[in-house]
Amino acid sequence: MDSTFEGPEQNESVEQMPVDKKSIVHYPNMLAGFWVRFWAYLVDLLVIGSVNRIIIYPLFSFIGLDTSDSFIFSPVSIATAITYFAYFVFMTKFLNQTLGKMIFGLRVVSNDDTSLNWSTIIFRELVGRYISKMIWIGFLIAAFTPKKQTLHDIFADTLVIHEKVFSKAVKEETIYTTSPSEI
C-alpha cells in the first residue's frame, strides 16, 4: 500500500517558530456577592414597606376597605404585591438599579453587555423574582455560582455589578511569529 506524506523527512529538523507572549490587562466591574445584595434587598423592602404604609394603607382606610385582611387575594394584598413588583420593574428599567442598589453602588447589567430591554426586565423582575421569592434558595445560590447570579439573574441572563469597584484581570495571549525562511 502506498501512502504519501508531505512534510519534513525523518532526518530533517523542523524549525521552531519563536513565540512571544503578550499580557492584556482588563479591569472589569467586580460582581456583587450575596451579602451586599442581601443588604440592598433589605433596604428595598424598607422602601416598599414605607410606600405601602404611607400611601396604600391610608388610601384603603379612606375608601373604607379592610386593611387587616391577610388573605392572599384580598384587595390590600394585591395592591401591595403590585407595589412590590412595580418598584423593581420600573426602577430596574429606567435606572438599572433600585434605591437599595444605589446605596450600595450596585447596578443590573446584561450578561452580553447590551442594554436591558422590557422583555428582559419583566422576565427578570416578575417571573424570576416570583420564583426566587417562592423558593428562597433562588436568592441563596448567588453565594455559590461563579458569576454570583441568583435564580432570576440566571433566567434573564443578567449580572449585578459594583459600579465603582473593579477587579484586575490579566489575560496572556500567545503570539506566533513567522520564521525568517517563511518570509
Side-chain angles (χ1 to χ4, degrees):
M1 179 174 249
D2 186 24
S3 66
T4 306
F5 174 72
E6 295 186 22
E9 297 294 326
Q10 289 180 352
N11 57 1
E12 290 183 28
S13 65
V14 178
E15 285 185 47
Q16 295 290 327
M17 297 183 339
V19 175
D20 290 333
K21 289 194 176 191
K22 180 180 176 183
S23 293
I24 299 172
V25 180
H26 179 61
Y27 293 95
N29 289 86
M30 195 169 178
L31 298 170
F34 172 77
W35 287 109
V36 69
R37 292 178 70 170
F38 173 76
W39 292 113
Y41 183 65
L42 286 182
V43 169
D44 291 332
L45 290 180
L46 285 172
V47 170
I48 294 167
S50 299
V51 168
N52 286 335
R53 296 288 180 193
I54 293 171
I55 297 171
I56 301 295
Y57 286 102
L59 181 65
F60 274 60
S61 294
F62 180 73
I63 294 173
L65 294 172
D66 186 23
T67 58
S68 63
D69 193 5
S70 63
F71 179 60
I72 192 169
F73 293 113
S74 68
V76 72
S77 295
I78 292 171
T80 56
I82 289 171
T83 304
Y84 176 84
F85 287 114
Y87 171 80
F88 283 105
V89 168
F90 290 118
M91 292 292 288
T92 304
K93 174 57 183 163
F94 294 117
L95 301 173
N96 288 1
Q97 55 193 165
T98 59
L99 290 174
K101 287 182 178 75
M102 285 180 198
I103 291 170
F104 289 97
L106 306 178
R107 181 175 295 276
V108 178
V109 295
S110 177
N111 200 11
D112 56 358
D113 291 331
T114 59
S115 64
L116 297 173
N117 55 23
W118 277 107
S119 60
T120 303
I121 295 294
I122 289 174
F123 190 74
R124 179 184 193 271
E125 299 300 340
L126 290 180
V127 177
R129 191 172 292 278
Y130 178 76
I131 292 170
S132 290
K133 190 171 177 160
M134 289 301 118
I135 51 172
W136 284 96
I137 196 159
F139 291 115
L140 190 61
I141 65 170
F144 304 106
T145 57
K147 292 183 179 180
K148 300 180 180 181
Q149 293 174 299
T150 59
L151 198 58
H152 58 276
D153 287 323
I154 293 170
F155 288 160
D157 202 24
T158 57
L159 299 169
V160 177
I161 60 168
H162 289 275
E163 284 185 302
K164 297 178 183 176
V165 180
F166 301 93
S167 59
K168 183 177 180 179
V170 179
K171 180 180 176 185
E172 294 218 0
E173 200 174 88
T174 304
I175 300 171
Y176 295 98
T177 58
T178 57
S179 63
S181 62
E182 293 178 356
I183 296 179

